Amino acid sequence: MYRLPGRGPAAGRTLEDGRAALIGFIRECRPQGRGADILTVVFDGREDVAGLHAEPGIRVVFTRGTSADDKIRDMVEDAPDPRRVICVTDDRELALACAHRGAEVWTVARFLGSGRDQDIPGVCRKNARAADGDEKNISSAEAGRIARELTGLWLNRKSP
């Protein structure tokens, strides 16, 4: 949330404003992709203090006494298939822990870039051809899952 241009605590706004701006960015720009992709945002603190509510496709978790990093590590470890989890962080220790557990790790810049036009900070990416319906688009997360699945199929294929 500190990396969103002109939003949140880095822009002199409150922590709650920053949290709301992050959820708003995710809702508007859908950097996690469309369809069944669920994005979980983990915040330090308690929800009764922040007053944020989840939205369709967005799950908001407050840590209530533990650190967000510890909560994320536990969530990745408890995931039915950690290889289907993408952890977004610039924290090296958290990134290594999540990768060690099998999750894919994205930097914050990569995540934000997947939902915004790189040349115009804060604006969601627009795709004219997608609007015309001429081309099917998938999220980069979905493309990664497809690539991993195909790799597994091809590498496990028995020679005739």
Side-chain angles (χ1 to χ4, degrees), residues 86-126:
I86 298 174
C87 177
V88 178
T89 185
D90 284 339
D91 182 281
R92 181 177 294 247
E93 185 179 322
L94 178 60
L96 289 172
C98 290
H100 177 73
R101 289 169 171 82
E104 184 175 346
V105 178
W106 285 12
T107 64
V108 173
R110 179 178 179 189
F111 176 74
L112 294 178
S114 66
R116 295 187 316 186
D117 185 323
Q118 294 289 339
D119 299 326
I120 308 171
V123 177
C124 298
R125 179 176 293 148
K126 294 175 179 68

PDB file of all heavy atoms in Angstrom, residues 86-126:
ATOM      1  N   ILE A  86       0.446 -17.198  -4.999  1.00  0.00           N
ATOM      2  CA  ILE A  86       1.397 -16.151  -5.366  1.00  0.00           C
ATOM      3  C   ILE A  86       1.489 -15.202  -4.179  1.00  0.00           C
ATOM      4  O   ILE A  86       0.480 -14.646  -3.752  1.00  0.00           O
ATOM      5  CB  ILE A  86       0.960 -15.387  -6.627  1.00  0.00           C
ATOM      6  CG1 ILE A  86       0.890 -16.331  -7.821  1.00  0.00           C
ATOM      7  CG2 ILE A  86       1.915 -14.223  -6.893  1.00  0.00           C
ATOM      8  CD1 ILE A  86       0.326 -15.692  -9.069  1.00  0.00           C
ATOM      9  N   CYS A  87       2.674 -15.043  -3.654  1.00  0.00           N
ATOM     10  CA  CYS A  87       2.914 -14.144  -2.531  1.00  0.00           C
ATOM     11  C   CYS A  87       3.547 -12.869  -3.081  1.00  0.00           C
ATOM     12  O   CYS A  87       4.549 -12.926  -3.788  1.00  0.00           O
ATOM     13  CB  CYS A  87       3.843 -14.806  -1.527  1.00  0.00           C
ATOM     14  SG  CYS A  87       4.259 -13.723  -0.146  1.00  0.00           S
ATOM     15  N   VAL A  88       2.942 -11.729  -2.771  1.00  0.00           N
ATOM     16  CA  VAL A  88       3.461 -10.444  -3.237  1.00  0.00           C
ATOM     17  C   VAL A  88       4.162  -9.767  -2.069  1.00  0.00           C
ATOM     18  O   VAL A  88       3.533  -9.440  -1.067  1.00  0.00           O
ATOM     19  CB  VAL A  88       2.317  -9.548  -3.767  1.00  0.00           C
ATOM     20  CG1 VAL A  88       2.861  -8.192  -4.197  1.00  0.00           C
ATOM     21  CG2 VAL A  88       1.587 -10.241  -4.912  1.00  0.00           C
ATOM     22  N   THR A  89       5.470  -9.586  -2.201  1.00  0.00           N
ATOM     23  CA  THR A  89       6.236  -8.954  -1.135  1.00  0.00           C
ATOM     24  C   THR A  89       7.583  -8.482  -1.666  1.00  0.00           C
ATOM     25  O   THR A  89       8.118  -9.056  -2.614  1.00  0.00           O
ATOM     26  CB  THR A  89       6.466  -9.914   0.045  1.00  0.00           C
ATOM     27  OG1 THR A  89       7.126  -9.214   1.099  1.00  0.00           O
ATOM     28  CG2 THR A  89       7.291 -11.130  -0.342  1.00  0.00           C
ATOM     29  N   ASP A  90       8.100  -7.444  -1.047  1.00  0.00           N
ATOM     30  CA  ASP A  90       9.468  -7.014  -1.302  1.00  0.00           C
ATOM     31  C   ASP A  90      10.369  -7.391  -0.130  1.00  0.00           C
ATOM     32  O   ASP A  90      11.560  -7.084  -0.136  1.00  0.00           O
ATOM     33  CB  ASP A  90       9.531  -5.500  -1.536  1.00  0.00           C
ATOM     34  CG  ASP A  90       9.025  -5.107  -2.918  1.00  0.00           C
ATOM     35  OD1 ASP A  90       9.002  -5.971  -3.816  1.00  0.00           O
ATOM     36  OD2 ASP A  90       8.645  -3.937  -3.099  1.00  0.00           O
ATOM     37  N   ASP A  91       9.809  -8.053   0.867  1.00  0.00           N
ATOM     38  CA  ASP A  91      10.569  -8.485   2.031  1.00  0.00           C
ATOM     39  C   ASP A  91      11.315  -9.769   1.673  1.00  0.00           C
ATOM     40  O   ASP A  91      10.696 -10.797   1.390  1.00  0.00           O
ATOM     41  CB  ASP A  91       9.620  -8.723   3.211  1.00  0.00           C
ATOM     42  CG  ASP A  91      10.350  -9.131   4.459  1.00  0.00           C
ATOM     43  OD1 ASP A  91      10.723 -10.329   4.560  1.00  0.00           O
ATOM     44  OD2 ASP A  91      10.559  -8.272   5.324  1.00  0.00           O
ATOM     45  N   ARG A  92      12.631  -9.706   1.667  1.00  0.00           N
ATOM     46  CA  ARG A  92      13.446 -10.841   1.232  1.00  0.00           C
ATOM     47  C   ARG A  92      13.210 -12.095   2.074  1.00  0.00           C
ATOM     48  O   ARG A  92      13.083 -13.194   1.555  1.00  0.00           O
ATOM     49  CB  ARG A  92      14.924 -10.465   1.270  1.00  0.00           C
ATOM     50  CG  ARG A  92      15.840 -11.574   0.800  1.00  0.00           C
ATOM     51  CD  ARG A  92      17.268 -11.108   0.803  1.00  0.00           C
ATOM     52  NE  ARG A  92      17.422 -10.068  -0.194  1.00  0.00           N
ATOM     53  CZ  ARG A  92      18.154 -10.205  -1.294  1.00  0.00           C
ATOM     54  NH1 ARG A  92      18.813 -11.323  -1.491  1.00  0.00           N
ATOM     55  NH2 ARG A  92      18.256  -9.234  -2.158  1.00  0.00           N
ATOM     56  N   GLU A  93      13.156 -11.920   3.384  1.00  0.00           N
ATOM     57  CA  GLU A  93      12.964 -13.080   4.268  1.00  0.00           C
ATOM     58  C   GLU A  93      11.616 -13.754   4.019  1.00  0.00           C
ATOM     59  O   GLU A  93      11.527 -14.974   3.928  1.00  0.00           O
ATOM     60  CB  GLU A  93      13.077 -12.633   5.726  1.00  0.00           C
ATOM     61  CG  GLU A  93      13.015 -13.787   6.708  1.00  0.00           C
ATOM     62  CD  GLU A  93      13.157 -13.324   8.156  1.00  0.00           C
ATOM     63  OE1 GLU A  93      13.953 -12.402   8.408  1.00  0.00           O
ATOM     64  OE2 GLU A  93      12.459 -13.890   8.999  1.00  0.00           O
ATOM     65  N   LEU A  94      10.561 -12.952   3.901  1.00  0.00           N
ATOM     66  CA  LEU A  94       9.236 -13.513   3.626  1.00  0.00           C
ATOM     67  C   LEU A  94       9.206 -14.175   2.254  1.00  0.00           C
ATOM     68  O   LEU A  94       8.645 -15.261   2.090  1.00  0.00           O
ATOM     69  CB  LEU A  94       8.160 -12.429   3.729  1.00  0.00           C
ATOM     70  CG  LEU A  94       6.730 -12.881   3.424  1.00  0.00           C
ATOM     71  CD1 LEU A  94       6.277 -13.987   4.383  1.00  0.00           C
ATOM     72  CD2 LEU A  94       5.777 -11.684   3.494  1.00  0.00           C
ATOM     73  N   ALA A  95       9.818 -13.546   1.268  1.00  0.00           N
ATOM     74  CA  ALA A  95       9.850 -14.111  -0.080  1.00  0.00           C
ATOM     75  C   ALA A  95      10.533 -15.480  -0.083  1.00  0.00           C
ATOM     76  O   ALA A  95      10.028 -16.436  -0.677  1.00  0.00           O
ATOM     77  CB  ALA A  95      10.566 -13.156  -1.035  1.00  0.00           C
ATOM     78  N   LEU A  96      11.668 -15.581   0.603  1.00  0.00           N
ATOM     79  CA  LEU A  96      12.377 -16.864   0.667  1.00  0.00           C
ATOM     80  C   LEU A  96      11.560 -17.925   1.391  1.00  0.00           C
ATOM     81  O   LEU A  96      11.513 -19.077   0.966  1.00  0.00           O
ATOM     82  CB  LEU A  96      13.736 -16.674   1.354  1.00  0.00           C
ATOM     83  CG  LEU A  96      14.781 -15.910   0.556  1.00  0.00           C
ATOM     84  CD1 LEU A  96      16.006 -15.612   1.419  1.00  0.00           C
ATOM     85  CD2 LEU A  96      15.182 -16.678  -0.693  1.00  0.00           C
ATOM     86  N   ALA A  97      10.907 -17.537   2.480  1.00  0.00           N
ATOM     87  CA  ALA A  97      10.092 -18.492   3.235  1.00  0.00           C
ATOM     88  C   ALA A  97       8.931 -19.010   2.387  1.00  0.00           C
ATOM     89  O   ALA A  97       8.636 -20.211   2.386  1.00  0.00           O
ATOM     90  CB  ALA A  97       9.575 -17.843   4.522  1.00  0.00           C
ATOM     91  N   CYS A  98       8.275 -18.117   1.665  1.00  0.00           N
ATOM     92  CA  CYS A  98       7.144 -18.523   0.830  1.00  0.00           C
ATOM     93  C   CYS A  98       7.608 -19.381  -0.342  1.00  0.00           C
ATOM     94  O   CYS A  98       6.974 -20.390  -0.669  1.00  0.00           O
ATOM     95  CB  CYS A  98       6.377 -17.297   0.339  1.00  0.00           C
ATOM     96  SG  CYS A  98       5.483 -16.455   1.654  1.00  0.00           S
ATOM     97  N   ALA A  99       8.716 -18.991  -0.970  1.00  0.00           N
ATOM     98  CA  ALA A  99       9.255 -19.777  -2.079  1.00  0.00           C
ATOM     99  C   ALA A  99       9.677 -21.161  -1.601  1.00  0.00           C
ATOM    100  O   ALA A  99       9.442 -22.163  -2.285  1.00  0.00           O
ATOM    101  CB  ALA A  99      10.434 -19.041  -2.721  1.00  0.00           C
ATOM    102  N   HIS A 100      10.273 -21.223  -0.417  1.00  0.00           N
ATOM    103  CA  HIS A 100      10.686 -22.504   0.155  1.00  0.00           C
ATOM    104  C   HIS A 100       9.480 -23.431   0.363  1.00  0.00           C
ATOM    105  O   HIS A 100       9.593 -24.648   0.216  1.00  0.00           O
ATOM    106  CB  HIS A 100      11.417 -22.270   1.476  1.00  0.00           C
ATOM    107  CG  HIS A 100      11.816 -23.534   2.172  1.00  0.00           C
ATOM    108  ND1 HIS A 100      12.837 -24.325   1.718  1.00  0.00           N
ATOM    109  CD2 HIS A 100      11.319 -24.136   3.272  1.00  0.00           C
ATOM    110  CE1 HIS A 100      12.951 -25.377   2.516  1.00  0.00           C
ATOM    111  NE2 HIS A 100      12.053 -25.280   3.466  1.00  0.00           N
ATOM    112  N   ARG A 101       8.335 -22.849   0.688  1.00  0.00           N
ATOM    113  CA  ARG A 101       7.116 -23.628   0.898  1.00  0.00           C
ATOM    114  C   ARG A 101       6.415 -23.961  -0.423  1.00  0.00           C
ATOM    115  O   ARG A 101       5.398 -24.622  -0.429  1.00  0.00           O
ATOM    116  CB  ARG A 101       6.178 -22.882   1.836  1.00  0.00           C
ATOM    117  CG  ARG A 101       6.681 -22.847   3.275  1.00  0.00           C
ATOM    118  CD  ARG A 101       5.870 -21.877   4.130  1.00  0.00           C
ATOM    119  NE  ARG A 101       6.165 -21.969   5.538  1.00  0.00           N
ATOM    120  CZ  ARG A 101       7.190 -21.385   6.135  1.00  0.00           C
ATOM    121  NH1 ARG A 101       8.045 -20.665   5.434  1.00  0.00           N
ATOM    122  NH2 ARG A 101       7.374 -21.501   7.432  1.00  0.00           N
ATOM    123  N   GLY A 102       6.943 -23.447  -1.543  1.00  0.00           N
ATOM    124  CA  GLY A 102       6.403 -23.802  -2.852  1.00  0.00           C
ATOM    125  C   GLY A 102       5.615 -22.711  -3.552  1.00  0.00           C
ATOM    126  O   GLY A 102       5.178 -22.882  -4.690  1.00  0.00           O
ATOM    127  N   ALA A 103       5.412 -21.575  -2.908  1.00  0.00           N
ATOM    128  CA  ALA A 103       4.637 -20.490  -3.521  1.00  0.00           C
ATOM    129  C   ALA A 103       5.480 -19.739  -4.544  1.00  0.00           C
ATOM    130  O   ALA A 103       6.705 -19.682  -4.441  1.00  0.00           O
ATOM    131  CB  ALA A 103       4.143 -19.518  -2.450  1.00  0.00           C
ATOM    132  N   GLU A 104       4.796 -19.152  -5.501  1.00  0.00           N
ATOM    133  CA  GLU A 104       5.455 -18.236  -6.432  1.00  0.00           C
ATOM    134  C   GLU A 104       5.543 -16.888  -5.723  1.00  0.00           C
ATOM    135  O   GLU A 104       4.632 -16.515  -4.991  1.00  0.00           O
ATOM    136  CB  GLU A 104       4.623 -18.119  -7.705  1.00  0.00           C
ATOM    137  CG  GLU A 104       5.249 -17.280  -8.782  1.00  0.00           C
ATOM    138  CD  GLU A 104       4.459 -17.285 -10.079  1.00  0.00           C
ATOM    139  OE1 GLU A 104       3.563 -18.139 -10.245  1.00  0.00           O
ATOM    140  OE2 GLU A 104       4.729 -16.410 -10.913  1.00  0.00           O
ATOM    141  N   VAL A 105       6.609 -16.148  -5.942  1.00  0.00           N
ATOM    142  CA  VAL A 105       6.783 -14.854  -5.282  1.00  0.00           C
ATOM    143  C   VAL A 105       6.900 -13.767  -6.339  1.00  0.00           C
ATOM    144  O   VAL A 105       7.663 -13.900  -7.301  1.00  0.00           O
ATOM    145  CB  VAL A 105       8.032 -14.851  -4.366  1.00  0.00           C
ATOM    146  CG1 VAL A 105       8.226 -13.490  -3.740  1.00  0.00           C
ATOM    147  CG2 VAL A 105       7.896 -15.926  -3.287  1.00  0.00           C
ATOM    148  N   TRP A 106       6.116 -12.718  -6.153  1.00  0.00           N
ATOM    149  CA  TRP A 106       6.170 -11.546  -7.027  1.00  0.00           C
ATOM    150  C   TRP A 106       6.638 -10.359  -6.205  1.00  0.00           C
ATOM    151  O   TRP A 106       6.283 -10.229  -5.033  1.00  0.00           O
ATOM    152  CB  TRP A 106       4.799 -11.208  -7.568  1.00  0.00           C
ATOM    153  CG  TRP A 106       4.281 -12.082  -8.650  1.00  0.00           C
ATOM    154  CD1 TRP A 106       4.771 -13.281  -9.074  1.00  0.00           C
ATOM    155  CD2 TRP A 106       3.124 -11.821  -9.443  1.00  0.00           C
ATOM    156  NE1 TRP A 106       3.990 -13.775 -10.075  1.00  0.00           N
ATOM    157  CE2 TRP A 106       2.976 -12.898 -10.323  1.00  0.00           C
ATOM    158  CE3 TRP A 106       2.213 -10.778  -9.481  1.00  0.00           C
ATOM    159  CZ2 TRP A 106       1.943 -12.955 -11.260  1.00  0.00           C
ATOM    160  CZ3 TRP A 106       1.185 -10.835 -10.402  1.00  0.00           C
ATOM    161  CH2 TRP A 106       1.058 -11.917 -11.288  1.00  0.00           C
ATOM    162  N   THR A 107       7.364  -9.455  -6.840  1.00  0.00           N
ATOM    163  CA  THR A 107       7.682  -8.185  -6.201  1.00  0.00           C
ATOM    164  C   THR A 107       6.435  -7.304  -6.247  1.00  0.00           C
ATOM    165  O   THR A 107       5.515  -7.537  -7.043  1.00  0.00           O
ATOM    166  CB  THR A 107       8.821  -7.451  -6.927  1.00  0.00           C
ATOM    167  OG1 THR A 107       8.376  -7.125  -8.247  1.00  0.00           O
ATOM    168  CG2 THR A 107      10.094  -8.289  -6.959  1.00  0.00           C
ATOM    169  N   VAL A 108       6.418  -6.290  -5.408  1.00  0.00           N
ATOM    170  CA  VAL A 108       5.293  -5.355  -5.409  1.00  0.00           C
ATOM    171  C   VAL A 108       5.195  -4.654  -6.764  1.00  0.00           C
ATOM    172  O   VAL A 108       4.101  -4.483  -7.309  1.00  0.00           O
ATOM    173  CB  VAL A 108       5.437  -4.335  -4.253  1.00  0.00           C
ATOM    174  CG1 VAL A 108       4.375  -3.265  -4.339  1.00  0.00           C
ATOM    175  CG2 VAL A 108       5.372  -5.061  -2.909  1.00  0.00           C
ATOM    176  N   ALA A 109       6.333  -4.296  -7.347  1.00  0.00           N
ATOM    177  CA  ALA A 109       6.318  -3.626  -8.653  1.00  0.00           C
ATOM    178  C   ALA A 109       5.681  -4.504  -9.722  1.00  0.00           C
ATOM    179  O   ALA A 109       4.895  -4.028 -10.542  1.00  0.00           O
ATOM    180  CB  ALA A 109       7.739  -3.241  -9.056  1.00  0.00           C
ATOM    181  N   ARG A 110       5.983  -5.780  -9.716  1.00  0.00           N
ATOM    182  CA  ARG A 110       5.380  -6.687 -10.691  1.00  0.00           C
ATOM    183  C   ARG A 110       3.870  -6.766 -10.490  1.00  0.00           C
ATOM    184  O   ARG A 110       3.103  -6.733 -11.442  1.00  0.00           O
ATOM    185  CB  ARG A 110       5.999  -8.074 -10.577  1.00  0.00           C
ATOM    186  CG  ARG A 110       5.399  -9.063 -11.550  1.00  0.00           C
ATOM    187  CD  ARG A 110       6.053 -10.414 -11.458  1.00  0.00           C
ATOM    188  NE  ARG A 110       5.414 -11.330 -12.391  1.00  0.00           N
ATOM    189  CZ  ARG A 110       5.644 -12.628 -12.423  1.00  0.00           C
ATOM    190  NH1 ARG A 110       6.520 -13.164 -11.599  1.00  0.00           N
ATOM    191  NH2 ARG A 110       5.017 -13.400 -13.287  1.00  0.00           N
ATOM    192  N   PHE A 111       3.442  -6.879  -9.250  1.00  0.00           N
ATOM    193  CA  PHE A 111       2.018  -6.951  -8.948  1.00  0.00           C
ATOM    194  C   PHE A 111       1.300  -5.677  -9.387  1.00  0.00           C
ATOM    195  O   PHE A 111       0.292  -5.725 -10.076  1.00  0.00           O
ATOM    196  CB  PHE A 111       1.808  -7.184  -7.454  1.00  0.00           C
ATOM    197  CG  PHE A 111       0.372  -7.179  -7.032  1.00  0.00           C
ATOM    198  CD1 PHE A 111      -0.464  -8.241  -7.329  1.00  0.00           C
ATOM    199  CD2 PHE A 111      -0.151  -6.112  -6.327  1.00  0.00           C
ATOM    200  CE1 PHE A 111      -1.788  -8.238  -6.935  1.00  0.00           C
ATOM    201  CE2 PHE A 111      -1.474  -6.095  -5.924  1.00  0.00           C
ATOM    202  CZ  PHE A 111      -2.293  -7.167  -6.228  1.00  0.00           C
ATOM    203  N   LEU A 112       1.836  -4.527  -8.999  1.00  0.00           N
ATOM    204  CA  LEU A 112       1.201  -3.268  -9.371  1.00  0.00           C
ATOM    205  C   LEU A 112       1.226  -3.075 -10.877  1.00  0.00           C
ATOM    206  O   LEU A 112       0.268  -2.584 -11.461  1.00  0.00           O
ATOM    207  CB  LEU A 112       1.883  -2.088  -8.676  1.00  0.00           C
ATOM    208  CG  LEU A 112       1.742  -2.030  -7.157  1.00  0.00           C
ATOM    209  CD1 LEU A 112       2.505  -0.836  -6.602  1.00  0.00           C
ATOM    210  CD2 LEU A 112       0.286  -1.989  -6.737  1.00  0.00           C
ATOM    211  N   GLY A 113       2.297  -3.493 -11.513  1.00  0.00           N
ATOM    212  CA  GLY A 113       2.405  -3.364 -12.959  1.00  0.00           C
ATOM    213  C   GLY A 113       1.447  -4.243 -13.713  1.00  0.00           C
ATOM    214  O   GLY A 113       1.067  -3.936 -14.840  1.00  0.00           O
ATOM    215  N   SER A 114       1.004  -5.335 -13.120  1.00  0.00           N
ATOM    216  CA  SER A 114       0.068  -6.214 -13.803  1.00  0.00           C
ATOM    217  C   SER A 114      -1.340  -5.635 -13.803  1.00  0.00           C
ATOM    218  O   SER A 114      -2.204  -6.101 -14.523  1.00  0.00           O
ATOM    219  CB  SER A 114       0.075  -7.615 -13.178  1.00  0.00           C
ATOM    220  OG  SER A 114      -0.430  -7.570 -11.861  1.00  0.00           O
ATOM    221  N   GLY A 115      -1.563  -4.577 -13.016  1.00  0.00           N
ATOM    222  CA  GLY A 115      -2.886  -3.975 -12.985  1.00  0.00           C
ATOM    223  C   GLY A 115      -2.922  -2.543 -13.462  1.00  0.00           C
ATOM    224  O   GLY A 115      -3.968  -1.940 -13.511  1.00  0.00           O
ATOM    225  N   ARG A 116      -1.757  -1.996 -13.831  1.00  0.00           N
ATOM    226  CA  ARG A 116      -1.717  -0.588 -14.231  1.00  0.00           C
ATOM    227  C   ARG A 116      -0.938  -0.422 -15.504  1.00  0.00           C
ATOM    228  O   ARG A 116      -0.045  -1.193 -15.805  1.00  0.00           O
ATOM    229  CB  ARG A 116      -1.030   0.258 -13.166  1.00  0.00           C
ATOM    230  CG  ARG A 116      -1.748   0.331 -11.879  1.00  0.00           C
ATOM    231  CD  ARG A 116      -1.072   1.304 -11.006  1.00  0.00           C
ATOM    232  NE  ARG A 116       0.368   1.097 -11.095  1.00  0.00           N
ATOM    233  CZ  ARG A 116       1.240   1.728 -10.365  1.00  0.00           C
ATOM    234  NH1 ARG A 116       0.847   2.598  -9.500  1.00  0.00           N
ATOM    235  NH2 ARG A 116       2.512   1.505 -10.471  1.00  0.00           N
ATOM    236  N   ASP A 117      -1.236   0.620 -16.213  1.00  0.00           N
ATOM    237  CA  ASP A 117      -0.431   1.030 -17.351  1.00  0.00           C
ATOM    238  C   ASP A 117       0.870   1.589 -16.791  1.00  0.00           C
ATOM    239  O   ASP A 117       0.858   2.515 -15.998  1.00  0.00           O
ATOM    240  CB  ASP A 117      -1.175   2.093 -18.146  1.00  0.00           C
ATOM    241  CG  ASP A 117      -0.452   2.474 -19.415  1.00  0.00           C
ATOM    242  OD1 ASP A 117       0.792   2.517 -19.399  1.00  0.00           O
ATOM    243  OD2 ASP A 117      -1.140   2.731 -20.414  1.00  0.00           O
ATOM    244  N   GLN A 118       2.005   1.052 -17.183  1.00  0.00           N
ATOM    245  CA  GLN A 118       3.292   1.448 -16.625  1.00  0.00           C
ATOM    246  C   GLN A 118       3.617   2.916 -16.886  1.00  0.00           C
ATOM    247  O   GLN A 118       4.328   3.545 -16.133  1.00  0.00           O
ATOM    248  CB  GLN A 118       4.414   0.584 -17.220  1.00  0.00           C
ATOM    249  CG  GLN A 118       4.330  -0.863 -16.824  1.00  0.00           C
ATOM    250  CD  GLN A 118       4.672  -1.092 -15.376  1.00  0.00           C
ATOM    251  OE1 GLN A 118       5.330  -0.291 -14.732  1.00  0.00           O
ATOM    252  NE2 GLN A 118       4.227  -2.198 -14.833  1.00  0.00           N
ATOM    253  N   ASP A 119       3.127   3.469 -17.986  1.00  0.00           N
ATOM    254  CA  ASP A 119       3.470   4.843 -18.356  1.00  0.00           C
ATOM    255  C   ASP A 119       2.628   5.889 -17.651  1.00  0.00           C
ATOM    256  O   ASP A 119       2.975   7.048 -17.627  1.00  0.00           O
ATOM    257  CB  ASP A 119       3.329   5.036 -19.868  1.00  0.00           C
ATOM    258  CG  ASP A 119       4.271   4.121 -20.633  1.00  0.00           C
ATOM    259  OD1 ASP A 119       5.383   3.859 -20.119  1.00  0.00           O
ATOM    260  OD2 ASP A 119       3.894   3.667 -21.718  1.00  0.00           O
ATOM    261  N   ILE A 120       1.494   5.490 -17.122  1.00  0.00           N
ATOM    262  CA  ILE A 120       0.604   6.439 -16.461  1.00  0.00           C
ATOM    263  C   ILE A 120       0.301   5.906 -15.072  1.00  0.00           C
ATOM    264  O   ILE A 120      -0.626   5.137 -14.880  1.00  0.00           O
ATOM    265  CB  ILE A 120      -0.710   6.629 -17.257  1.00  0.00           C
ATOM    266  CG1 ILE A 120      -0.393   6.966 -18.712  1.00  0.00           C
ATOM    267  CG2 ILE A 120      -1.568   7.704 -16.622  1.00  0.00           C
ATOM    268  CD1 ILE A 120      -1.602   6.960 -19.615  1.00  0.00           C
ATOM    269  N   PRO A 121       1.135   6.272 -14.066  1.00  0.00           N
ATOM    270  CA  PRO A 121       0.963   5.726 -12.716  1.00  0.00           C
ATOM    271  C   PRO A 121      -0.455   5.931 -12.187  1.00  0.00           C
ATOM    272  O   PRO A 121      -1.045   6.982 -12.355  1.00  0.00           O
ATOM    273  CB  PRO A 121       1.975   6.509 -11.884  1.00  0.00           C
ATOM    274  CG  PRO A 121       2.980   7.002 -12.869  1.00  0.00           C
ATOM    275  CD  PRO A 121       2.221   7.230 -14.154  1.00  0.00           C
ATOM    276  N   GLY A 122      -0.991   4.875 -11.605  1.00  0.00           N
ATOM    277  CA  GLY A 122      -2.291   4.955 -10.964  1.00  0.00           C
ATOM    278  C   GLY A 122      -3.459   4.658 -11.869  1.00  0.00           C
ATOM    279  O   GLY A 122      -4.595   4.629 -11.438  1.00  0.00           O
ATOM    280  N   VAL A 123      -3.192   4.416 -13.157  1.00  0.00           N
ATOM    281  CA  VAL A 123      -4.285   4.154 -14.091  1.00  0.00           C
ATOM    282  C   VAL A 123      -4.282   2.676 -14.434  1.00  0.00           C
ATOM    283  O   VAL A 123      -3.246   2.109 -14.759  1.00  0.00           O
ATOM    284  CB  VAL A 123      -4.114   4.990 -15.378  1.00  0.00           C
ATOM    285  CG1 VAL A 123      -5.207   4.674 -16.379  1.00  0.00           C
ATOM    286  CG2 VAL A 123      -4.102   6.467 -15.041  1.00  0.00           C
ATOM    287  N   CYS A 124      -5.431   2.070 -14.398  1.00  0.00           N
ATOM    288  CA  CYS A 124      -5.526   0.656 -14.742  1.00  0.00           C
ATOM    289  C   CYS A 124      -5.209   0.463 -16.211  1.00  0.00           C
ATOM    290  O   CYS A 124      -5.528   1.301 -17.047  1.00  0.00           O
ATOM    291  CB  CYS A 124      -6.931   0.124 -14.454  1.00  0.00           C
ATOM    292  SG  CYS A 124      -7.381   0.209 -12.723  1.00  0.00           S
ATOM    293  N   ARG A 125      -4.601  -0.657 -16.503  1.00  0.00           N
ATOM    294  CA  ARG A 125      -4.264  -0.993 -17.881  1.00  0.00           C
ATOM    295  C   ARG A 125      -5.536  -1.149 -18.693  1.00  0.00           C
ATOM    296  O   ARG A 125      -6.496  -1.747 -18.259  1.00  0.00           O
ATOM    297  CB  ARG A 125      -3.461  -2.290 -17.902  1.00  0.00           C
ATOM    298  CG  ARG A 125      -3.074  -2.739 -19.298  1.00  0.00           C
ATOM    299  CD  ARG A 125      -2.221  -3.958 -19.238  1.00  0.00           C
ATOM    300  NE  ARG A 125      -0.956  -3.594 -18.640  1.00  0.00           N
ATOM    301  CZ  ARG A 125      -0.235  -4.419 -17.902  1.00  0.00           C
ATOM    302  NH1 ARG A 125      -0.643  -5.628 -17.671  1.00  0.00           N
ATOM    303  NH2 ARG A 125       0.900  -4.031 -17.386  1.00  0.00           N
ATOM    304  N   LYS A 126      -5.505  -0.618 -19.888  1.00  0.00           N
ATOM    305  CA  LYS A 126      -6.634  -0.741 -20.797  1.00  0.00           C
ATOM    306  C   LYS A 126      -6.166  -1.534 -22.013  1.00  0.00           C
ATOM    307  O   LYS A 126      -5.055  -1.377 -22.476  1.00  0.00           O
ATOM    308  CB  LYS A 126      -7.125   0.638 -21.225  1.00  0.00           C
ATOM    309  CG  LYS A 126      -7.697   1.428 -20.080  1.00  0.00           C
ATOM    310  CD  LYS A 126      -8.064   2.821 -20.524  1.00  0.00           C
ATOM    311  CE  LYS A 126      -8.654   3.616 -19.401  1.00  0.00           C
ATOM    312  NZ  LYS A 126      -7.754   3.938 -18.350  1.00  0.00           N
TER     313      LYS A 126
END
